[in-house]
Every structure is written in structure tokens, then in C-alpha cells.
Amino acid sequence: MYSVAFDLSAIERRTHHNKRSGKLPRWHKPGYAERVPNSMSRQAMHTLRVERLSSITDTLATDLTRLLAELSPHAPTLSVEDFQRVFASDSVHLFVAWDDGVPAGMLTLVCATLLSGKKCMIEDVIVGSQFRRRGIATALLRSALSFACIYAARYIELTSRSEREEAHALYHKFGFFERQTHVYRLTLLNKPLIQ
């Protein structure tokens, strides 16, 4: 497992001046739209928009469940109620990228206030297979970093499977650095607690 972190202090300094004027740079706005060329044709242009979700429909829940299945074949089928429970949490934020009005990718940002300070964790970064190489992952990461800065997090972390080399290159491009750490997981479902 590949574990990387990003120090937000540089971005915080850069955005502090803009906050005094009441404005954020265009790429720092979570809902910004940009024109992204299709990798199959430089003539074709697509409207890419990233949105932090606060509501869900049955159709969108189905579309996002389909995206999750591309990340893991064991991903559960999620209902509207499942998403609403996520929206009810102040610490979990779901970003969705829309390509010409179609949900093309998603990212989950988990924010927490600890005794050591505020931190954020990126989870479940997914871009649909038919939408890749259009800048969607880049747009999702920008929106997550922007929100983490507004949240005043000290740093943001994520983990990625070692074989995802293209994703690692993108994370390094943003300034993430690899941490020398071990990642441990304990599966709790249907597992008795140790006495």
C-alpha cells in the first residue's frame, strides 16, 4: 500500500491574501467549471464540473454505485438512504465530477479535528473507465485541496495501491510525498472481538 501526504501550509499562505479580498482563485473554487479537451480528439471539448454533493436521487445513487464497483468488485449496492447518512455527517464530503452532465468520477474527503490539529483524508478516488485522461482526477483533487484549505487542515493524506503508477504520478505532481509508514487494517464485520 502506497501512503502519501500533502502539506497544506503553502496553499494556505497563497490563499490568505485572496481571503482578505473575499475571493479565491478560480481553481480553488470547488464548484468551478473548466473546458477539458477529449484525449481522443483535440477538436472535441467537454464541460467538466465538480460539485460537493448535498443531496441525491435514485438515478444518481445508481450511477455512483456503478462507479464504486470499478474501484472494488466487492463494493456494496448503495441506496439513497446510504448516501443521506453520509451527507448527515459533518466530517465526510463527497465530490462528484460531471462530464457534459454525466457523473464521471468521484472522491470522498474525510475531515477530522484531533488534539493534534485538523487533518483530512482522501478516500475512494474513482474515474469511470470511459472518462479517463480528461483531467477529471485532477479536477477532483483540486476541489478536495481547496475544501481542505477552507477547513484549515494542517495536512491531507491518502493511500493508493502500489500498482496504480499513473495515480502516483498525479499525486506527486500536486506535491504529495510518500510517507515512511505502515498501513494496517483490521476487518471488523462478522469478527468476534479479542477478549
Side-chain angles (χ1 to χ4, degrees):
M1 183 67 72
Y2 187 86
S3 178
V4 292
F6 184 91
D7 186 349
L8 291 167
S9 58
I11 292 181
E12 288 172 354
R13 289 193 297 270
R14 193 163 67 228
T15 58
H16 180 69
H17 173 74
N18 293 282
K19 285 182 179 180
R20 285 184 295 183
S21 64
K23 296 185 294 184
L24 285 173
R26 184 175 70 89
W27 76 267
H28 261 270
K29 298 176 182 177
Y32 85 105
E34 63 179 355
R35 303 294 286 178
V36 180
N38 184 352
S39 60
M40 300 299 292
S41 170
R42 292 186 180 275
Q43 301 301 320
M45 300 294 286
H46 293 261
T47 300
L48 176 59
R49 177 172 58 89
V50 176
E51 175 188 8
R52 184 166 64 93
L53 289 188
S54 58
S55 61
I56 192 81
T57 64
D58 288 325
T59 301
L60 183 54
T62 300
D63 290 338
L64 297 184
T65 296
R66 190 178 300 115
L67 277 175
L68 277 172
E70 292 196 32
L71 182 68
S72 170
H74 305 295
T77 299
L78 301 176
S79 65
V80 169
E81 290 73 22
D82 293 324
F83 283 97
Q84 287 174 339
R85 280 192 286 272
V86 171
F87 298 148
S89 170
D90 293 331
S91 60
V92 183
H93 308 277
L94 181 61
F95 294 85
V96 173
W98 302 82
D99 189 331
D100 284 346
V102 178
M106 60 188 291
L107 176 153
T108 302
L109 183 69
V110 182
C111 301
T113 301
L114 309 175
L115 292 177
S116 57
K118 293 182 176 181
K119 65 172 286 187
C120 292
M121 184 79 178
I122 291 176
E123 297 281 355
D124 301 337
V125 182
I126 315 161
V127 176
S129 56
Q130 70 272 37
F131 297 102
R132 289 172 187 167
R133 301 185 183 278
R134 297 185 184 179
I136 291 173
T138 297
L140 286 166
L141 283 170
R142 283 177 172 172
S143 292
L145 290 174
S146 173
F147 188 90
C149 287
I150 295 171
Y151 181 73
R154 292 178 54 228
Y155 56 87
I156 187 167
E157 293 182 324
L158 60 86
T159 59
S160 180
R161 292 194 297 271
S162 56
E163 66 270 17
R164 299 186 64 195
E165 294 183 359
E166 288 188 9
H168 302 165
L170 176 62
Y171 300 147
H172 283 299
K173 182 179 178 181
F174 267 88
F176 284 87
F177 56 90
E178 187 172 0
R179 295 184 60 204
Q180 297 300 317
T181 186
H182 295 283
V183 178
Y184 295 92
R185 173 179 292 180
L186 174 65
T187 302
L188 296 177
L189 291 177
N190 303 318
K191 182 181 180 68
L193 294 178
I194 299 176
Q195 300 295 327

